[in-house]
Amino acid sequence: MSSAIHRCFCKVTGSLDDCACDVETIDSFNNRKLFPQLQKLLSSDYFRFYKVNLNNPCPFWTDSGHCGLRDCAVKPCTPNEIPEGLKSSSYKYSLEGNRDTEDCEMAEKLGAVNSSLSDETRLALLDWNRYDDEADRFCMHDDEDSPDSQYVDLLLNPERYTGYKGLEAWKIWNSIYEENCFKPYSVKRPLDPLVSNRGDGEGRGFYQWLEGLCVEKRAFFRLVSGLHASINVHLSARYMLDDNWYERRWGPNVTEFQLRFDEELTKGEGPKWLRNLYFLYLIELRALAKVLPFFERPSLHLYTGQTQQDRKNKELLLELLHMAKSFPLHFDETTLFAGDKKEADKLKNDFKLTFKNISRIMDCVGCFKCRLWGKLQTQGLGTALKILFSEKQIEALHQSSSIKPSFQLSRQEIVALFNAFGRISTSIRELENFRLLLSELNQ
C-alpha cells in the first residue's frame, strides 16, 4: 500500500507540461526567496485595502442564496480605518495615473485643440479613451464609484475554510468548467457527480479531448484548474480546528487535504490539479516580470498619503519585480496566439470573453468571504493575462504621453494582481508544509 504523501504528490514533480520549467525549481525559488518578500509587501496599506462590490446580483440565475454561516461574512472597513490617501481622488491609480486627473487633462487638451467641440463630444471622446482600456481587460471590474463598493481589509478577512459547500458551491464550479472552458457537453469531466465515468477509463475521454486542444485552450483549462486547486489548498491549510467558548483555532487539516488531492480518493485527479497550480504560478510570475517597466517609472507612486512608507513600498515592489525577472525558467507566452493573425486574434478574443464570463460568475457565489477572494483572484489573473498580451504597449510607455499612456493599470488591478499572486505563492509554500505533515503520518 502506497504512503499518504506518495498518493498526493506522486506526480507533483519534474517537468511541467507546455513549459520549460519543473516543480522543484519553483518550490526552491518561491519558498526560499520570493514568498517572504511578497508577504511583507502585501501587509502594507497600499495592498491590504481592496475596494469591492459584494452586492452585485448574480447575472446567470436567480436562485443564488446567501450563506448564513458566520465565517462567510465579510467585515468592511469603517471610514476612519482607511488611509487618507486612498480616500482621496488619488486612490484610483497613483499620483500620475488617476483617471480623474487624466480626464481633466484630456478635456483640457481637447478644448485647446478645438474650442468648437461640444461638451457632449468631449465626453464621448473620454468614453472612447476608457473603452480602449476596457477592451484590453480580461475580466469584469467593479465600479469603484458605486455606493455599494466598499473597502475591505484583506488581512482581517483572510481566505480560509468557511463551511460553504454542497450544491451551491458545486454549481459555481460546474458552471465554470462546463460552460466556460471551451468544453463540448459530449465530453464528460472526471468526477462529475451527474455522470457515471464507468467505461471511460476514469476520464480517459476527457484527457484525450484536452490533449487534442490547441495550446491556448489547454492553457485556459489549466489556469482555471490551477486556481481551483489553489483555493482548495487554502481551505485545507486554514481550517477550523477548534471552536469553543474561549477560542477559535485555525490551522492545516491533513484529512481535508487528502480528501481534495489524494490520488486514491480523487480517482487519480488530485495530483494533476496540483500540477496545474504550478502552471498558474508560472503564468502569474511571468506577468510580474513583464510589467516591471510600468512600475519603474519615477512618476508612478504607490500612494496612500504616507510619504516615507509609500517610498519604501515602491522600493520593495521593485525589488520583488526584479526578483521575478531573475527566475531562470519563465513561461514563454509567445507560444500562445501565434500563427495566422486573423485566427489568433479571434482566439484571443474568445479567450478574453470566456474569462470575463468567469469573473461575472463570482457574483453568484453565496458565501461573501468566498465571493471576495474569488473576485480578487479572478481579477488578479485577468490582470496578469492583460499584462502578458500587452508587451508592445508596455515597451512603448517611455514614448507615450502622460495624458494617454500606451498601457495602464488601475489601483484595483494592481492590488488584485499582487494579492492574487500572493495566494498562489502561499499555496506553493503550504504544499511544502503538507508534504511534511503527510510524511509524519507514515513514521
Side-chain angles (χ1 to χ4, degrees), residues 40 120 180 214 287 335 337 377 382 420 442:
K40 184 178 179 181
E120 184 178 355
N180 296 281
C214 62
T335 61
F337 307 113
Q377 289 177 84
N442 298 287

Side-chain angles (χ1 to χ4, degrees), residues 152-367:
V152 173
D153 186 335
L154 298 174
L155 297 184
L156 298 182
N157 293 273
E159 183 183 27
R160 61 190 179 193
Y161 185 83
T162 66
Y164 178 67
K165 56 185 178 181
L167 181 61
E168 284 295 324
W170 172 83
K171 190 175 181 179
I172 298 295
W173 285 110
N174 188 64
S175 177
I176 290 172
Y177 283 119
E178 291 297 319
E179 300 168 19
N180 296 281
C181 280
F182 303 104
K183 187 183 75 61
Y185 286 108
S186 58
V187 175
K188 305 304 178 185
R189 287 181 295 124
L191 301 182
D192 186 339
L194 300 183
V195 178
S196 170
N197 286 309
R198 285 177 296 180
D200 185 30
E202 302 298 354
R204 185 171 59 246
F206 171 81
Y207 286 103
Q208 288 174 347
W209 163 79
L210 186 63
E211 292 306 312
L213 287 177
C214 62
V215 65
E216 293 84 1
K217 291 183 178 179
R218 190 163 63 245
F220 188 97
F221 175 84
R222 294 178 66 196
L223 289 175
V224 172
S225 174
L227 178 59
H228 194 180
S230 178
I231 290 170
N232 281 333
V233 170
H234 289 297
L235 302 188
S236 303
R238 303 193 71 166
Y239 197 91
M240 173 69 75
L241 299 178
D242 198 5
D243 184 9
N244 53 55
W245 67 271
Y246 64 90
E247 75 166 347
R248 306 183 77 210
R249 187 166 58 89
W250 306 81
N253 185 321
V254 176
T255 301
E256 186 70 21
F257 182 84
Q258 288 177 283
L259 286 173
R260 295 174 187 269
F261 296 110
D262 188 294
E263 185 178 41
E264 290 184 2
L265 300 177
T266 60
K267 297 185 178 179
E269 296 301 305
K272 297 175 185 175
W273 298 334
L274 290 177
R275 287 178 65 84
N276 289 337
L277 164 61
Y278 282 85
F279 179 76
L280 173 62
Y281 182 94
L282 284 177
I283 293 292
E284 296 201 9
L285 180 69
R286 180 58 171 162
L288 294 188
K290 300 283 285 188
V291 82
L292 176 59
F294 172 80
F295 286 102
E296 280 185 319
R297 293 174 300 156
S299 56
L300 190 140
H301 304 267
L302 303 179
Y303 184 69
T304 67
Q306 305 166 82
T307 306
Q308 188 173 359
Q309 190 58 49
D310 291 347
R311 186 173 61 252
K312 289 181 179 179
N313 288 340
K314 175 77 178 285
E315 292 171 357
L316 180 59
L317 176 107
L318 291 178
E319 286 178 18
L320 186 76
L321 294 181
H322 279 287
M323 186 186 299
K325 189 176 181 180
S326 74
F327 183 72
L329 297 172
H330 270 296
F331 177 79
D332 181 9
E333 72 281 359
T334 62
T335 61
L336 303 178
F337 307 113
D340 181 80
K341 186 177 186 306
K342 187 175 180 180
E343 290 183 10
D345 287 345
K346 182 184 182 304
L347 185 59
K348 185 185 291 187
N349 190 55
D350 290 344
F351 199 98
K352 192 178 297 183
L353 290 175
T354 304
F355 196 81
K356 279 186 176 180
N357 217 36
I358 290 177
S359 70
R360 295 176 72 207
I361 292 174
M362 293 301 109
D363 283 322
C364 300
V365 177
C367 165

